Amino acid sequence: MNYKVGLQQRFSMAGLIEVARRAGVSITTASRVLNGVDYPVAAATRRRVLRAADELSYAPSALARALVTRRSKMIGVLVGDIADPYFAEIARGIEDIARDEGYLVVICNTDRDPATERRYVSTLSEYRAEALILVGGEGTDPADQRAMARLFAAMGPRKTVMLALAGSRTGLAAIDIDHESAAGDMTQHLLELGHRAVGYIGGPRGVVTARAREAGFREALRAAGLTPAITREGDFTYAGGLNAARGILEQRLETRITAIFAANDQMALGALAAAREAGIRVPNDLSIVGFGDTAAAEQAVPPLTTVRIPSHKLGETAMRACLKAIEANGEVPIEPQLLPYRIVVRASSGAHANPDGTKKGH
Amino acid sequence: MNYKVGLQQRFSMAGLIEVARRAGVSITTASRVLNGVDYPVAAATRRRVLRAADELSYAPSALARALVTRRSKMIGVLVGDIADPYFAEIARGIEDIARDEGYLVVICNTDRDPATERRYVSTLSEYRAEALILVGGEGTDPADQRAMARLFAAMGPRKTVMLALAGSRTGLAAIDIDHESAAGDMTQHLLELGHRAVGYIGGPRGVVTARAREAGFREALRAAGLTPAITREGDFTYAGGLNAARGILEQRLETRITAIFAANDQMALGALAAAREAGIRVPNDLSIVGFGDTAAAEQAVPPLTTVRIPSHKLGETAMRACLKAIEANGEVPIEPQLLPYRIVVRASSGAHANPDGTKKGH
DNA sequence: ATGAAAGCGCTAACAT
DNA sequence: ATGTTAGCGCTTTCAT
């Protein structure tokens, strides 16, 4: 008897068996009722099962179900840092769609570290996530790329849906904007304002999106017969942008730059701060533009001219693509998509100012 | 033959059986080797198993394992909005600890909606999350509270570890700071600067942390023989703070306020913007202080005086408490903890300025 | 309309 | 040191 109580406690959580027993039906019938499948079940039986489930506070085991159906209903999402508003917004887009479809979204912070990334891919793979969304570009170290490719290959048989979001990944279809062309357009905006000497604060050398943006910047300048006046590498953080901008502004006399283009908003915000502490007026003495259009861009002083990335939509689109691919059992390849971006002109960029302080039109 | 190929594909993912077979051992031995338990296994056997697992790119099923061990190794975290830097920072603290212990953290955005909250609690419960961390205070609607309590009760037998973080929850131990006393200290700071007419921008009426902060503010004023000069309700967002502050500043002449205390940083930032657009200098004409010390506070113009909440540490502490409780099989109650906060004085608060514009000491 | 039985992939007694 | 066996809680043929 005591033993039985012990058992009771260990196996206390009401399972389908208990529900079935209490309703006086087979476990099969209980399952059918509770899953609401369109299976013929007598109304009375159905009621009894529902009642029993309710009385026992039955909560189906997603684990057991996943094991037998081979559908975990989980989606894994890898982001550099969820505290970064850019990633957060994308993640929200993913989640908003996933939730409606009954999927659980597992977001993992990789800190952009390839090893951490791999560990999470493995873990999510062990949980049999039905799709993996890798947000943000991969590093450019070939060894890391190979390691990841091997991982992907190993997961092959499981037909996990895999997708690159906002940054390309070797071997994966990407849902993205055209970073290069966007950076080109932004540069064009600066050129049209009359700027000829433009400084650039780039993202981490090893990140593909950072490279694409810089390439777009350089190409637009080149087309106008120019080259970057000065460039610095940042790390996509405010502090990084602040430092880089300080370095750039130190050489302001030599370079005579009239504008700075930062590869993301955070760094542009840092640049704004650097200008402020140096007593340089924006946009009168110096134009500063960013990339991303995170909430902080609009709230900045002055409000930041930047590239609007449809972050939320990017997330939604990626998730929808995943859902479609999952339904196709991972056998139909995901088609890459490029979403439209937009240059948002705010007060941080203005017409090129001559050294004497007077504006110059274009 | 054709049929067999079909089977192959459906059951393609290498399981323990395949590994065991290939290594020429029993499934048990394979399991023992791969789990690295301190069980006597011949070195040669071990090697063969490891080799087989590698060749087959074996990835254990966390699902199957969770089912039998009754340990999902998952932690559920409910936050209002992960895009809010306050929540994001806390979530990182949780994840940093969880990761080291091999736990997978599932973060869910509730948008502070009680119904969404309940749905996620149910879902996480179905996945047999070993712990649930509810970040941020609950709403004050009794019906919602009862519904949640019922949910918790239903989960009782599963002994899920449950914890409130940064905001209390009926029935749950909380890891938090003392919001009331922190708000009191901040008010004291304002009083010491000579401010006597202070406006207040509160958080949503229905949120317990918001109430605690406002209570602390009122009590500190009361102790000084004062009452709030004017109060407005915000929603913890920048836009909400901006609006509330506009309303407050419209009545500046009547109220003669010299300071505004916002219940969180986002709203304080909005207030800063409202002051700027009204041509009111901060801190010369008006002091503005916030609560939270998110990254944006330091980057604001002027930098924001605020209450530093040890967000990351709060997350770490909560996760550690969970781990401990999980080890104790959820049978030892979690003990509530109050972590220290700190008033961080920056340039947005200053000595009370007289109507004529001259400063006044204290 | 209902039920019996065979697993999903794994761990954990309990042998040997 | 290794293997056999009985499930974990569920879905899903296949019978009835």
Side-chain angles (χ1 to χ4, degrees):
Chain A
M1 202 54 173
N2 257 331
Y3 182 69
K4 232 179 178 170
V5 171
L7 271 183
Q8 285 282 81
Q9 285 182 310
R10 292 204 47 189
F11 298 92
S12 54
M13 203 50 217
L16 210 42
I17 333 94
E18 278 89 76
V19 175
R21 191 149 21 200
R22 180 174 256 257
V25 299
S26 78
I27 178 177
T28 313
T29 303
S31 170
R32 289 205 267 247
V33 171
L34 295 170
N35 283 324
V37 290
D38 59 347
Y39 202 94
V41 175
T45 312
R46 151 164 286 117
R47 258 198 311 279
R48 288 209 320 279
V49 171
L50 256 19
R51 179 128 184 281
D54 184 55
E55 289 171 350
L56 294 172
S57 307
Y58 172 69
S61 165
L63 263 24
R65 174 180 294 157
L67 188 59
V68 51
T69 60
R70 289 157 171 283
R71 292 218 160 288
S72 65
K73 287 293 216 169
M74 292 202 239
I75 304 287
V77 178
L78 265 57
V79 298
D81 177 9
I82 194 66
D84 180 330
Y86 174 51
F87 288 130
E89 196 50 44
I90 290 177
R92 284 306 303 260
I94 295 175
E95 194 191 349
D96 288 347
I97 300 298
R99 187 192 322 200
D100 294 341
E101 301 295 325
Y103 275 84
L104 188 64
V105 175
V106 181
I107 293 165
C108 304
N109 290 118
T110 66
D111 292 325
R112 285 204 167 83
D113 172 44
T116 306
E117 230 168 38
R118 270 175 258 139
R119 282 217 352 245
Y120 270 128
V121 169
S122 296
T123 301
L124 291 167
S125 173
E126 293 180 3
Y127 277 92
R128 303 300 186 251
E130 295 180 47
L132 250 47
I133 302 179
L134 283 68
V135 187
E138 77 200 312
T140 46
D141 178 348
D144 287 329
Q145 294 191 353
R146 256 171 307 169
M148 188 60 93
R150 227 174 298 132
L151 245 185
F152 288 171
M155 294 166 56
R158 215 172 297 124
K159 307 238 180 245
T160 310
V161 171
M162 285 186 300
L163 189 53
L165 176 47
S168 63
R169 297 273 176 166
T170 44
L172 299 190
I175 307 290
D176 211 340
I177 64 159
D178 185 337
H179 296 272
E180 183 166 344
S181 133
D185 288 1
M186 177 55 94
T187 308
Q188 194 56 41
H189 164 69
L190 258 15
L191 290 172
E192 282 167 9
L193 287 174
H195 298 281
R196 287 294 171 267
V198 182
Y200 188 80
I201 304 177
R205 200 159 277 313
V207 177
V208 284
T209 21
R211 295 202 170 190
R213 292 177 196 171
E214 182 158 351
F217 167 68
R218 288 180 181 277
E219 173 54 25
L221 283 188
R222 208 195 48 74
L226 302 169
T227 55
I230 180 172
T231 71
R232 278 278 193 289
E233 183 181 341
D235 59 356
F236 280 155
T237 69
Y238 177 89
L242 179 62
N243 276 330
R246 279 178 182 148
I248 288 176
L249 294 180
E250 265 171 25
Q251 304 197 45
R252 193 164 161 245
L253 295 179
E254 301 92 293
T255 57
R256 302 176 56 90
I257 60 159
T258 59
I260 292 180
F261 183 2
N264 80 345
D265 284 354
Q266 288 295 308
M267 296 196 297
L269 260 27
L272 234 33
R276 194 182 311 118
E277 69 183 19
I280 299 171
R281 293 167 308 162
V282 176
N284 307 299
D285 305 332
L286 180 75
S287 286
I288 294 179
V289 301
F291 202 112
D293 197 27
T294 49
E298 191 172 2
Q299 300 164 8
V301 189
L304 192 68
T305 291
T306 186
V307 177
R308 169 167 304 161
I309 302 178
S311 313
H312 196 275
K313 185 129 199 175
L314 230 30
E316 290 181 0
T317 307
M319 190 60 222
R320 288 217 185 81
C322 279
L323 255 17
K324 215 172 120 193
I326 287 172
E327 271 173 44
N329 202 20
E331 270 148 10
V332 178
I334 290 179
E335 45 184 299
Q337 282 186 63
L338 247 31
L339 266 51
Y341 57 85
R342 219 160 61 69
I343 305 295
V344 179
V345 178
R346 299 208 181 89
S348 73
S349 65
H352 157 62
N354 280 322
D356 59 30
T358 59
K359 297 272 181 165
K360 177 175 132 191
H362 52 269
Chain B
M1 201 55 172
N2 257 332
Y3 183 68
K4 231 180 178 169
V5 170
L7 273 181
Q8 284 282 81
Q9 285 182 309
R10 291 204 46 188
F11 299 93
S12 55
M13 202 52 217
L16 211 39
I17 333 96
E18 278 88 79
V19 175
R21 190 148 23 199
R22 180 175 255 257
V25 299
S26 78
I27 178 177
T28 313
T29 303
S31 169
R32 290 204 267 246
V33 170
L34 295 170
N35 284 324
V37 291
D38 59 348
Y39 203 93
V41 176
T45 311
R46 151 163 286 118
R47 258 196 312 277
R48 287 208 321 277
V49 172
L50 256 17
R51 179 128 184 281
D54 185 54
E55 289 170 350
L56 294 171
S57 307
Y58 172 70
S61 165
L63 264 25
R65 175 182 293 157
L67 189 58
V68 52
T69 60
R70 291 157 171 285
R71 293 217 159 290
S72 65
K73 287 294 215 168
M74 289 202 240
I75 304 289
V77 178
L78 265 58
V79 298
D81 178 9
I82 195 64
D84 180 332
Y86 174 51
F87 288 129
E89 195 50 43
I90 289 177
R92 285 305 304 259
I94 294 175
E95 194 191 348
D96 288 347
I97 300 298
R99 185 192 322 200
D100 294 341
E101 301 295 326
Y103 275 84
L104 189 65
V105 176
V106 181
I107 293 166
C108 305
N109 289 117
T110 66
D111 292 325
R112 286 204 166 85
D113 172 45
T116 305
E117 229 168 37
R118 269 175 257 137
R119 282 219 348 248
Y120 271 127
V121 169
S122 295
T123 301
L124 291 167
S125 173
E126 293 181 2
Y127 277 92
R128 303 301 186 249
E130 295 179 46
L132 250 49
I133 302 180
L134 283 68
V135 188
E138 79 200 311
T140 45
D141 179 347
D144 286 329
Q145 295 191 351
R146 254 170 310 172
M148 189 60 94
R150 225 173 301 131
L151 246 185
F152 287 171
M155 294 168 57
R158 215 173 296 124
K159 306 236 179 251
T160 311
V161 170
M162 285 187 300
L163 188 54
L165 177 48
S168 62
R169 295 275 175 165
T170 44
L172 299 190
I175 307 290
D176 211 341
I177 64 157
D178 185 336
H179 296 272
E180 182 165 346
S181 134
D185 288 2
M186 178 55 93
T187 308
Q188 194 56 41
H189 164 70
L190 256 17
L191 291 171
E192 282 166 9
L193 287 174
H195 298 281
R196 287 293 171 271
V198 182
Y200 188 81
I201 304 178
R205 200 158 277 312
V207 177
V208 284
T209 22
R211 294 203 171 189
R213 291 176 196 171
E214 181 158 353
F217 167 68
R218 288 181 181 276
E219 173 54 26
L221 283 189
R222 207 196 48 73
L226 302 169
T227 54
I230 180 172
T231 71
R232 277 279 191 290
E233 182 181 341
D235 59 356
F236 279 156
T237 70
Y238 176 90
L242 178 64
N243 275 332
R246 279 179 182 147
I248 288 177
L249 294 180
E250 263 171 26
Q251 304 197 44
R252 191 160 162 247
L253 295 178
E254 301 92 293
T255 57
R256 302 175 56 90
I257 59 158
T258 60
I260 292 180
F261 183 0
N264 80 346
D265 284 355
Q266 287 296 308
M267 296 196 295
L269 259 27
L272 233 33
R276 194 181 313 118
E277 69 183 20
I280 298 171
R281 294 167 307 162
V282 175
N284 307 296
D285 304 332
L286 181 74
S287 286
I288 294 180
V289 300
F291 201 112
D293 197 25
T294 48
E298 191 172 3
Q299 301 165 7
V301 190
L304 192 68
T305 291
T306 186
V307 176
R308 169 166 305 160
I309 302 178
S311 314
H312 195 275
K313 185 129 198 172
L314 231 30
E316 291 182 0
T317 307
M319 190 60 223
R320 288 216 184 81
C322 279
L323 255 15
K324 215 172 122 191
I326 287 172
E327 271 174 44
N329 202 21
E331 270 148 8
V332 177
I334 290 179
E335 45 183 300
Q337 282 185 64
L338 247 31
L339 265 50
Y341 56 85
R342 221 160 61 68
I343 304 296
V344 180
V345 179
R346 298 207 182 89
S348 74
S349 65
H352 157 60
N354 279 321
D356 59 30
T358 61
K359 296 271 181 165
K360 179 174 131 192
H362 50 272

